[in-house]
Structure formats: structure tokens, C-alpha cells
Amino acid sequence: MMRLRLIGRILLAIAIVGLTVIGSRPTTAAGTGDSWQQPVTINVNARQFTDYRTLRATGDAVYYRLTVDQPRRVRIQISISRSAAAKFAPQVVLFRPHDTTVGPILPVEQPPETIALVYPMTAPRVVFDVFTQTLYTVRLEAQPVWPTAGTYIFAVYNAGSAGGQYRFLLDRGSAVAQWPDAWQLPIRWWRDQAFAGFSWLTFITPALIALGLWLVWLRLDHHQLHPHKKYPPRKAKNQAITR
């Protein structure tokens, strides 16, 4: 009976956490990023920036703004789910400050007094994320260097004929999780699952959490420290053994 109650509490805790994650605020506000006048602001001092968006028809774009105060190298990555349409082709264009407006003909609006640099799509690479247990396909990777301080604008746009969802990641090249990011792991886990697609891998993290709680319960029970269970009184170590 006690084990059934424990299992019930574990399932209830997982359900509460799941509802909290589902009801959490999105990464960016609705409508932000629809134009270069109102782009999504990226904090360059943060360890990692991740955004999940959907591109519809050809030329649909989401804009991002990044302001740097010194020369800096960053890593950008565009990923799509493995079930995405073959004709879905998200690409990235960087608008750097310039005296005049210079750039190729693009299906997206270019901010004035910028020079446009389009990053080519790289060879598809399937990645398994050990933190979220998800499989997805990386379609673009680059490590641009900003030689001067200023405000730069990214545009992730759809160069294909089919729509789909993408994940845009920008960081300073560090892939090691830190303690301040721990509270974001449940949210990141849920959003990566929704992005990559739910599968049997989805149950790995909840199973590991349930196993950890179960082992803790067994340890407490072994030492008779469980707060919701009555134990027989312990015999004193110096108590004489009666024959």
C-alpha cells in the first residue's frame, strides 16, 4: 500500500511539473520578430539563447537583434525536426552596419544602411541531445566573428516552398551546462520534445527521475527515516542479549 501511494505521488508530481512547463511563458513574446523594426533581442552575455519558431510560406522571416560592445565570436545553429518537409529550407542572413545598403536580392526586407551576408546551409547532421533525449537535424552551423562593436540583425527566413518549425540557437561556443541553467532544464526538455517530436525517448527522463526517487525512498526506508511510515522501536546497541 505504501508503495502504491509513493508511485501515485510520483505520478502526481510529474503531472504538476508537466502542467507547469506546458503553461510556462514562451521564449519570446507573440509578434516580436515579425519585422526588423521590432526584432527579438538577444542578450550576448547569456550563456545560450534558444528560440523556437515556425516559418510558413517562402520569404517568411523572423528577425533577431544582437548588440556587442567588443569584438566577439559566437556560434549560430539552425535545427529542424527529422519529420520536417524536404522542401522546408530555413536560412540565416546577417545584416551588418554599413554606410550604404548593400546586399543580394532576398525575399525578406533588409534594414537600411546595412550589408547583407547570407550563410549557406551546411550538410544535414543528425544530433542526439543527451540532456533532452531528442533527435533532430542540424541544417546550418556557423561561427561568425564581429570585428567591431555595433548592432547586428539576424533574419531566419524560409528559402523553401514548404513551411515548418525551426530551432535557432546562439551562444559563445560553450556547450557545458552550468548550475544557473538547471532551473531551465525542464522547460528546455519539454520544448525540445515538442520540437523534435515525441517518441519512446520521451520516457527516458521521467523514468530516470522516478528511479532516483524510488532509490531515495528505499534508502530512507532502510535507515528507518521515512517520515510517513511507522517503524518498530530500535534496540539499544548495549542492550544485553537474552538467551
Side-chain angles (χ1 to χ4, degrees), residues 15-35:
I16 293 175
V17 172
L19 292 174
T20 302
V21 171
I22 295 174
S24 61
R25 297 180 60 185
T27 307
T28 53
T32 304
D34 291 343
S35 65

Side-chain angles (χ1 to χ4, degrees), residues 1-242:
M1 182 63 68
M2 290 295 298
R3 294 184 178 181
L4 292 177
R5 290 180 180 177
L6 176 64
I7 294 174
R9 290 170 182 172
I10 292 175
L11 295 177
L12 179 61
I14 294 176
I16 293 175
V17 172
L19 292 174
T20 302
V21 171
I22 295 174
S24 61
R25 297 180 60 185
T27 307
T28 53
T32 304
D34 291 343
S35 65
W36 65 266
Q37 293 96 338
Q38 192 181 7
V40 178
T41 301
I42 300 176
N43 180 10
V44 71
N45 295 320
R47 191 191 66 84
Q48 186 180 93
F49 171 84
T50 308
D51 193 28
Y52 305 82
R53 291 297 183 103
T54 299
L55 298 176
R56 297 175 292 275
T58 303
D60 190 20
V62 178
Y63 292 84
Y64 302 88
R65 179 178 60 207
L66 180 65
T67 302
V68 297
D69 55 2
Q70 61 182 353
R72 188 181 296 270
R73 177 188 294 273
V74 299
R75 178 177 69 102
I76 60 175
Q77 184 184 93
I78 297 292
S79 304
I80 61 176
S81 67
R82 300 185 68 190
S83 61
K87 295 183 179 180
F88 176 50
Q91 287 193 326
V92 175
V93 56
L94 171 65
F95 301 108
R96 297 174 52 181
H98 198 262
D99 296 336
T100 58
T101 305
V102 181
I105 298 177
L106 297 171
V108 296
E109 185 179 4
Q110 179 173 350
E113 297 182 354
T114 60
I115 182 171
L117 175 63
V118 179
Y119 291 99
M121 299 180 68
T122 54
R125 181 170 63 90
V126 178
V127 173
F128 175 72
D129 192 323
V130 296
F131 293 106
T132 59
Q133 288 80 50
T134 52
L135 280 167
Y136 52 85
T137 302
V138 177
R139 289 300 286 115
L140 189 149
E141 287 183 295
Q143 293 187 357
V145 178
W146 287 277
T148 58
T151 298
Y152 299 83
I153 295 179
F154 283 101
V156 180
Y157 68 96
N158 188 7
S161 57
Q165 188 181 25
Y166 72 89
R167 188 186 73 172
F168 174 55
L169 183 147
L170 185 145
D171 60 24
R172 293 174 290 173
S174 174
V176 179
Q178 300 178 0
W179 283 113
D181 305 318
W183 69 274
Q184 295 182 348
L185 287 180
I187 297 177
R188 179 189 169 191
W189 175 84
W190 175 260
R191 289 177 176 167
D192 268 13
Q193 291 292 336
F195 160 72
F198 297 97
S199 67
W200 66 270
L201 296 173
T202 305
F203 297 97
I204 293 180
T205 297
L208 291 176
I209 295 175
L211 177 61
L213 293 175
W214 177 251
L215 293 176
V216 170
W217 187 92
L218 291 179
R219 192 66 177 175
L220 292 174
D221 189 51
H222 175 73
H223 292 284
Q224 298 185 4
L225 297 175
H226 198 283
H228 301 292
K229 188 175 181 180
K230 294 182 178 180
Y231 298 95
R234 293 184 178 183
K235 295 181 179 180
K237 292 183 179 180
N238 57 356
Q239 181 179 357
I241 300 177
T242 59

